[in-house]
Amino acid sequence: MAKNEDDYFGLLLRYLRILNRRKIYIIICVLAFSLGAVFHAKKLPNIYRASTTIILPSGSVPQITGLSQALGNLAGSQMPALGLGSAGGPGKNLITILKSRVVAEDMVRHFNLDKGTSVEKAALTIKGNIKAADSEGTIVISYESTNPKQSADIANYYPVALRNYLDKNFKTYRDSLRDKIKKTEALSHDYKTMFENYKRQFSDVKALDTLHQSTVQQYDLARLEEDTYSNFTVLDSALIPEVPVGPQRRKIVLTGALIGLAIGILLAFALESLDKRIYEMEVIEDKIDMPILGILNLKWRGKKNLVEAVNISGQDKIIRKNIESFFAGNSTHPRKILFSSVEEIPEKTVLICKIGQALSETGGKVLVINYNTNSHNREIYKEISQKLTAKYSSTFDIKEASERDQLLDSENFPGYDYILVDAPSGIMSPLIFDLVEWGDITFPVVKIGTTFTKELDIHKESLEKITDQVKAIVITPPISSSLYRIRKILSYKIDGLVKSQN
């Protein structure tokens, strides 16, 4: 099942750990964009919507048949009835007129809205804020504005502007048809006179007479069409709105939070790609090619977790057994073990003391030597030694060395079975090389999230020039149990799925 877990959850857990490490950047981005969206939403003016309702006239526009091809060639072309077709019905045709720029320009001129700009540009603004909907014989005209009175005035004037447009254009259309009637009457009269003289032109006279009748029919149709579109009734007049309909500030804030979350996640992965510290133990084994002797979950918080520091865990016993296996069949004493690191970390000091306790419980006598002159490191030894020397007074001891050659002679340690050395930090420290040559085994201590990949690689190469075996002891900070809980649940479900398929 371990292999299946790696296949299914390895990449997922890696991404979750990255997001967990960079969660502060994600939280900052979400909060920043959310606050920005809140300020932006508060600065936006309130938008008010006023609506007026008109009732459409009953009935429909009658249809007429088209003229024949010969009659069309004779007449030139048919006169369109204002571009209004009956296919969409009066409601959709009136909505098209309501949303036109011509009607919007009438609104601009009536309310003097073209201050500082042209009528055409002001009309585009009016046109963009008007909304009209056709529903069951009525048309609802809505207008949105930051001025509630202006929104009501414009909504109430739209039916007036619509009627003005229809009256003006229907009158022009009727006048053009009337002129055409007069022309066809004159042509018909002339052709009738010529018919008396020229019998061969009888067919043209009949065609003109038919065209005359058709034009009269179109004129009557235009009158009926005018009655159909113009005779609407205002049902509800617009009132001054009291409650704004916009802006939708919650959506703006939510959008800002989502944008901040997306940017925070991208920032987390970007920082992860630039961060060269070690966060995955696979990097130690695969990229640096350094075997791992043991893993210890530890986070030193001073005296707050002093009890944890002096208690031996199962992990400490595993590391102790691995260390003892290096000296199997070797009776030389004392056995000198060095613990090195790229940079000084307080957890390394606690680790050495815990390993020393674990070794002393097997009956051996253990000495811990602190070669690190860091003041914080010394304080940790002082805090821990007060607990340990009382508990293991006969088998456990701690000493400090401040000089380079101090205590390097094995004769200075009679009766000790194990000597654990806290080596100074640094990659090229001369004292490290002296201690490595003097000691029997050296264990680099790697702290997840602190040690850099390149520096650890250089440190390993330096140690390999002096000693034969270099195995790391990894210190990992306590991990939130939520990831393990998710992994456990998903592992259980997928394991059941695999078993059911088999």
Side-chain angles (χ1 to χ4, degrees), residues 415-433:
Y416 286 105
D417 297 300
Y418 294 95
I419 299 176
L420 309 183
V421 179
D422 186 355
S425 60
I427 299 175
M428 305 301 292
S429 172
L431 183 54
I432 288 183
F433 298 138

Side-chain angles (χ1 to χ4, degrees), residues 154-168:
I154 291 178
N156 286 327
Y157 187 74
Y158 251 98
V160 179
L162 175 62
R163 197 185 302 276
N164 292 340
Y165 173 82
L166 293 174
D167 291 344
K168 177 182 177 182

Side-chain angles (χ1 to χ4, degrees), residues 154-284:
I154 291 178
N156 286 327
Y157 187 74
Y158 251 98
V160 179
L162 175 62
R163 197 185 302 276
N164 292 340
Y165 173 82
L166 293 174
D167 291 344
K168 177 182 177 182
N169 286 275
F170 273 117
K171 181 179 181 304
T172 303
Y173 185 50
R174 289 196 310 272
D175 291 343
S176 65
L177 291 176
R178 190 179 292 110
D179 293 340
K180 189 174 182 181
I181 290 173
K182 291 180 180 180
K183 291 179 181 180
T184 56
E185 284 179 348
L187 288 173
S188 179
H189 180 269
D190 292 342
Y191 270 90
K192 285 180 180 180
T193 302
M194 294 173 64
F195 177 74
E196 297 296 332
N197 300 322
Y198 305 100
K199 296 294 184 181
R200 63 179 180 272
Q201 296 184 0
F202 174 75
S203 60
D204 292 340
V205 173
K206 294 296 292 182
L208 283 174
D209 186 59
T210 302
L211 178 60
H212 171 72
Q213 296 298 328
S214 176
T215 306
V216 172
Q217 186 180 7
Q218 290 186 30
Y219 178 80
D220 294 337
L221 178 62
R223 292 296 303 270
L224 181 59
E225 191 175 17
E226 178 183 5
D227 294 339
T228 300
Y229 284 101
S230 299
N231 294 333
F232 57 81
T233 305
V234 177
L235 177 62
D236 293 327
S237 298
L239 301 177
I240 298 177
E242 297 180 357
V243 180
V245 297
Q248 298 182 6
R249 293 183 172 87
R250 290 184 179 180
K251 289 185 178 180
I252 294 175
V253 174
L254 178 60
T255 302
L258 292 177
I259 293 174
L261 177 62
I263 293 178
I265 293 175
L266 291 176
L267 179 60
F269 283 107
L271 292 175
E272 182 69 19
S273 64
L274 297 175
D275 195 345
K276 302 305 179 183
R277 287 175 290 185
I278 297 174
Y279 290 100
E280 308 291 339
M281 284 181 287
E282 291 80 0
V283 175
I284 303 174

